[in-house]
Amino acid sequence: MHKRRLGRTDLEIAPLVFGGNVFGWTADEKTSFALLDRFVDAGLDAIDTADVYSRWVPGNSGGESETIIGNWLKKSGKRDKVVIITKVGSDIGQGRVSLSPVHIEKAVDASLKRLRTDVIDLYLSHWPDPTVTHAETLGAYRRLIEKGKVRHVGASNLDAGQMKAALDAANHHNLPRYEVLQPGYNLYDRGEFEGPLRDLCMAKEIGVISYYGLAKGFLSGKYRSKADLGKSPRGSSAAAYLNERGLRILAALDEVSARHGATPAQVALAWIIARPGITAPIASATSLDQLESLIGAVSLELADADMRRLDMASTP
């Protein structure tokens, strides 16, 4: 499988990342193990999670996803076959977003313990923290890299101005820079990444792994009316897409899917994979059937006419 380099790092990944937000939520440990085994057996190799996953589930406290991944790594012996991506900074009990050096130092050790690994391949700042300077946060990351706990660092949910400020701070203080960005991006939600942020990432050779590739499941075609929202525990989050533009995008996905004998989810992800500035989209699955559909996106090559059709349908 053709791999893509993540920014200027030495990490090379297949162009699809498994989203671990479902582990400990809509996928129990047994199901998660089966999904991860199939994902790796298909030649895919990057797994994304965060210390806060899945704290929102009643009875959970955060770290459940990392724990399941760590248990799978231990049982499967496949640590050398995967790139582990996790994130720090969300509220996991401290009461607010925090990228302070003290919090990062504690959080990384907890993540390493749950993941049952000695090093995190890519460690991301999950959300911006306006109470801490970029230099303070990046200084903490430099110490983690020097200690061998983290290989590379990146960020999620930064706009163009915030990303530029972080890059400038790294350059000015001779600190490790954010090599990877994780923005939300899909056929429906294009504004966050396209424009100044994409231009900056491409100019500075920043790797981009985008989340919400299927727009919270909407672009899978599963939700076409309000009555469909009850099909999944995540269905309510797709309600915002049930409008004229959303249905127009689904119609275009249906059209392109029929031409290729593919599913709407495969086409939606293949569109992202083919977009300039994107290294790989993140997508999650809670069943092997869903995962097979995601895997098929990697080998789906859309024609220029397909891309134009999807672009036209998704124009606001």
Side-chain angles (χ1 to χ4, degrees):
M1 180 175 294
H2 177 69
K3 295 192 176 185
R4 298 177 173 185
R5 187 180 177 191
L6 262 177
R8 302 190 313 187
T9 74
D10 58 357
L11 302 174
E12 292 188 344
I13 64 170
L16 183 67
V17 178
F18 197 109
N21 61 317
V22 296
F23 301 150
W25 177 23
T26 49
D28 61 18
E29 183 164 281
K30 181 180 178 181
T31 301
S32 300
F33 281 18
L35 292 168
L36 289 166
D37 282 332
R38 177 63 188 123
F39 184 78
V40 174
D41 290 346
L44 302 171
D45 55 4
I47 303 164
D48 174 83
T49 186
D51 58 4
V52 74
Y53 299 165
S54 48
R55 189 169 184 256
W56 55 86
V57 178
N60 285 3
S61 57
E64 289 79 14
S65 175
E66 289 182 331
T67 297
I68 287 175
I69 293 169
N71 291 344
W72 172 77
L73 290 174
K74 183 70 172 180
K75 181 179 180 180
S76 69
K78 295 178 179 177
R79 178 64 182 94
D80 62 340
K81 295 181 181 295
V82 294
V83 171
I84 298 296
I85 306 164
T86 193
K87 298 182 281 293
V88 62
S90 289
D91 180 5
I92 55 173
Q94 73 273 20
R96 66 173 184 85
V97 169
S98 178
L99 292 176
S100 72
V102 171
H103 179 70
I104 289 171
E105 289 279 357
K106 292 179 180 178
V108 73
D109 287 338
S111 287
L112 287 167
K113 183 177 181 180
R114 287 189 292 262
L115 289 165
R116 303 178 76 164
T117 188
D118 295 328
V119 61
I120 293 165
D121 298 306
L122 179 60
Y123 202 39
L124 304 181
S125 296
H126 204 162
W127 299 95
D129 178 1
T131 70
V132 180
T133 67
H134 292 300
E136 288 176 286
T137 298
L138 296 174
Y141 288 148
R142 178 172 63 183
R143 290 188 289 276
L144 298 188
I145 292 171
E146 290 171 347
K147 292 175 181 177
K149 296 181 179 182
V150 169
R151 295 179 66 189
H152 303 284
V153 295
S156 182
N157 300 301
L158 297 187
D159 61 26
Q162 292 165 331
M163 189 65 177
K164 184 179 185 303
L167 294 173
D168 289 345
N171 182 60
H172 181 74
H173 297 283
N174 194 28
L175 294 168
R177 73 171 200 164
Y178 289 144
E179 295 289 353
V180 176
L181 178 69
Q182 190 177 112
Y185 186 59
N186 56 61
L187 260 170
Y188 191 105
D189 302 304
R190 299 176 59 171
E192 178 182 338
F193 178 61
E194 291 182 4
L197 185 57
R198 179 172 65 185
D199 293 345
L200 176 65
C201 289
M202 293 180 71
K204 298 297 184 180
E205 299 180 274
I206 305 294
V208 177
I209 49 175
S210 57
Y211 66 89
Y212 285 160
L214 294 178
K216 302 179 182 178
F218 176 76
L219 298 177
S220 69
K222 181 190 299 185
Y223 310 108
R224 295 174 184 265
S225 69
K226 291 183 179 179
D228 292 333
L229 299 178
K231 290 181 177 180
S232 163
R234 304 176 67 186
S236 60
S237 62
Y241 298 103
L242 279 173
N243 52 43
E244 181 182 351
R245 179 167 170 253
L247 295 176
R248 188 170 72 234
I249 292 171
L250 288 186
L253 284 172
D254 289 341
E255 182 183 319
V256 175
S257 298
R259 276 203 292 270
H260 289 273
T263 66
Q266 288 171 338
V267 173
L269 291 173
W271 178 85
I272 299 175
I273 292 170
R275 297 296 291 170
I278 294 288
T279 309
I282 301 168
S284 57
T286 57
S287 71
L288 289 173
D289 286 344
Q290 288 179 4
L291 181 57
E292 289 301 328
S293 179
L294 302 184
I295 291 169
V298 177
S299 58
L300 178 58
E301 294 188 13
L302 300 179
D304 290 344
D306 298 325
M307 297 294 286
R308 286 195 297 271
R309 176 72 179 94
L310 294 167
D311 285 345
M312 182 175 64
S314 63
T315 300

